[in-house]
Amino acid sequence: MVVLGCTGYFPVTTVFKMTYKLQSYILLITLLVIVTLTLSADGEFRFLDHLKPQADDKTQTRAVTDLLQRLLGNRAREFKVIVNKTLANGSFDVCELRSAKNNRIFASGSTGVAVATGVYNYLKYFCNCHVSWSGNQLNIPRPLPSVTGVLRISTQHRFRYYQNVCTQSYSTVWWDWRRWEQEIDWMALNGINLPLAFNGQEALWQEVYLSLGLNQTDIDQFFTGPAFLAWNRMGNLFQWGGPLPQSWHTKQLYLQYKILERMRALGMMPVLPAFSGNVPQAITRLFPKANVTKLDPWSHFNCSYSCAYILDPRDPLFQRIGALFLSQLVKQFGTDHIYNTDTFNEMTPASPDPAYLSAVSRSVFNTMTSVDPRAIWLMQGWLFVHDVDFWKPAQIQALLHGVPIGRMIVLDLFAESTPAFSSTQSFYGQPFIWCMLHNFGGNSGLFGTVESINMGPFEALRYPNSSLVGLGMAPEGIEQNPVVYELMCELAWRKEPVNLRKWVSLYAARRYGSTSENLSTAWKLLFHSVYNCTVPHYKNHNKSPLVHRPSLHMSTDVWYNRGDLYEAWRLLYEAALPLMSVETFRYDLVDVTRQALQLLTAEFYREIRDSFQSQKLPELLTAGGVLVYDLLPELDRLLSSESHFLLGVWLEQAHSLALTEQEVQLYDLNARNQITLWGPVGNILDYASKEWGGLMEDYYLQRWSLFVNTLVECLDRGRPFRQEVFNQAVFQVEKGFVFNQRKYPIKPQGNTYDIATRIFMKYYPQALKRLN
């Protein structure tokens, strides 16, 4: 069969191919035209031009001066800083540093963040200093080293984003103002200008829902407890761990006011929440005609705590509720015109119809602009990589194009492992931020993808017609692996990838204030191995048997050469004695030793499993005895000797927010459950695992003891091991920890060096032996 063309005859298949290609060309040209029309002269999206610091130069200057005073004490007087927004290179931050009279350093920059970043760059590369979650090394030379000429620090990324919606639950949930102040200082020093600011929103939601006619019982049955609020906000959970006390709302509002004031004073643009459609069940009672859908269960929960009620964004009630909330939000907190909400986080939309998806995103955005005509929607792009079966090109494009080009910023959330920009033609023209997710659940454990994060941002910049507008970090949990975050922050101010071997050698020197060759070599080994995961699409959950409910079918695979880790351990230990007073070194010695014992736990587990399966009781007793009666107790003692690895600190932070004994018990349950069972019956068991002193002894050790004893009993009596029976028994152990109400130390116990020495002498030779 043929059809008549204008120049002759063509087979039908050829016509179809030509039509498809023509449509593709038209789409591409249309995208180029749209992007071109929305670009400003400097290549940035003109609809983003109003996203800029609100504080004046004087306010930002004072904020940076105060930051340096907190960080450096009297040495801060040796720095003269000034913010001058006219120094900006278009919309990009710049800082210039030069030597001044009396051995002082003068730093001027376009924003407070730019100045703070410039000063930290100077402290790192001229003074050999370091600031991190796990301590600071600030042995500043006297006098300050001079700068020859002008040192210019600039970025080619307009936005430097920070946090994940989950970070609010996994890490910052119990923070007071003092801890928030430290974090905001760290953000400024590392160039962050676009942080999430989600505290206090439940207080506003409560007012909105009460104004709609819900009662307090309705609201108490909706909000989760503090440690699970992230998933309540995303529509995954309700009620579990609740209800939220009224004192919680008061304290979080107070915190939010201070957080926003400080962020804005430093020149940051805080991202505030918006309405996604997740509503209390009581909405269906008060508004029976509203188009509300009850979703399927989320994760391993049933409908007792999940199966959220989602209000269709096209329903007039959606606009009403969303506008009520945003109006209240802007009234209470002010606005920097950028809002985050995620409509389908790990939830399948009601329909794959592109028209429906466009209508949904258009309605969500209209809710924002009805209150703030200059609103920009910041959306996580996680859904596109989480459910690839649903989110095909037509669906992705429909959702993104429901919002005018340039009025949405997409977070390419897991770009270091599974970038979405390259499979969506740069998000079909919508601006995006290349993000490193790095950590799921806030797990302990060394991990990094340093080659990927070193190259990825620059590849995104070079991508044809790239709509990249920034770099970001979106870890589910923080206060771990500080080296990865320092590298990622620094790349936003680099013009090209760094030499990783040279960079990490300098990192070791400034982190400890020592130029020891042992330390440099140790960190090069770590960067070559445990910090350079190259497994495609690898998600950093700590998969070690140590922190998972024991079974006979556990994975012991790792992505790196164990020998490199053991050699780095040896080099750190041998350099340890003169450095034990340096907080950052003490932390790393414990952390690397912990990683080595985590590897050895997997080795002993294999021996336990193999001995049981081959019915060798003596070997089972030997391997199980070493693990249960020596290795894990020693690890608990080591962790308990360092302030950053204490279960007691996490629990004490939770308790400190309580006003009554009832609140203490509620917060204690939240804090314990999240890091263990994650749900009433182990629904997301061990997802947020932590290797902390106290937790190791009373949780992980007890499980392994029960496992080994059960296997011994099975062999002794000639019975098979039944996992389901063991699970029922070990659940009682796990639940016992959650409810034991035991007090744990909030100060280190024991001498870290002595404990580390004892462990090294016993287990380093065994580690080497098992390599062969």
Side-chain angles (χ1 to χ4, degrees), residues 312-331:
D312 192 309
R314 300 168 299 177
D315 192 294
L317 183 60
F318 186 100
Q319 299 297 314
R320 179 181 172 189
I321 294 176
L324 277 172
F325 174 70
L326 209 62
S327 296
Q328 182 81 333
L329 186 86
V330 172
K331 179 182 176 182

Side-chain angles (χ1 to χ4, degrees), residues 580-600:
M580 291 307 295
S581 62
V582 180
E583 183 180 10
T584 47
F585 179 83
R586 197 167 58 248
Y587 174 95
D588 288 347
L589 178 64
V590 170
D591 208 17
V592 173
T593 304
R594 177 207 52 71
Q595 188 77 12
L597 293 190
Q598 180 177 290
L599 287 177
L600 281 166

Side-chain angles (χ1 to χ4, degrees), residues 104 149 170 195 256 267 271-272 332 381 443 466 477 522 550 560 627 634 638 684 694 751 756:
R104 300 179 77 196
Y170 283 133
Q256 178 75 336
V271 180
L272 297 176
Q332 292 290 333
N443 300 147
S466 177
Y560 58 96
L627 180 66
E634 287 281 47
L638 177 71
I684 315 181
N751 183 290

Side-chain angles (χ1 to χ4, degrees), residues 1-12 14-15 18:
M1 178 180 177
V2 295
V3 294
L4 181 63
C6 59
T7 58
Y9 294 92
F10 296 96
V12 168
T14 303
V15 173
M18 291 174 63

Side-chain angles (χ1 to χ4, degrees), residues 205 209 212 214 222 232 235 238 275-284 292-293 307-312 317-318 321:
W205 275 120
Y209 288 134
L212 289 169
L214 277 71
F222 178 62
N232 180 243
F238 58 85
F275 182 46
S276 67
N278 174 39
V279 293
Q281 181 181 357
I283 287 290
T284 61
V292 176
T293 301
C307 302
Y309 289 82
I310 301 297
L311 178 59
D312 192 309
L317 183 60
F318 186 100
I321 294 176

Side-chain angles (χ1 to χ4, degrees), residues 609-628:
R609 180 193 62 198
D610 295 347
S611 299
F612 175 79
Q613 291 174 338
S614 59
Q615 299 188 5
K616 296 179 179 178
L617 184 58
E619 286 84 346
L620 171 58
L621 287 169
T622 299
V626 171
L627 180 66
V628 170

Side-chain angles (χ1 to χ4, degrees), residues 173-174 219-221 223-229 239-249 305 650-675 738-739 741 743:
V173 54
W174 311 119
I219 295 170
D220 288 345
Q221 292 174 349
F223 291 142
T224 63
F228 304 95
L229 279 174
Q239 196 175 4
W240 171 246
L244 280 181
Q246 293 305 307
S247 64
W248 173 266
H249 297 312
Y305 297 109
W650 170 254
L651 297 179
E652 177 61 24
Q653 288 176 334
H655 299 166
S656 69
L657 296 182
L659 295 184
T660 67
E661 183 57 33
Q662 184 180 7
E663 289 180 12
V664 168
Q665 293 178 13
L666 178 70
Y667 295 167
D668 188 79
L669 171 67
N670 271 255
R672 290 169 182 262
N673 181 272
Q674 187 212 78
I675 60 176
V738 172
F739 291 100
Q741 296 188 332
K743 302 290 185 181

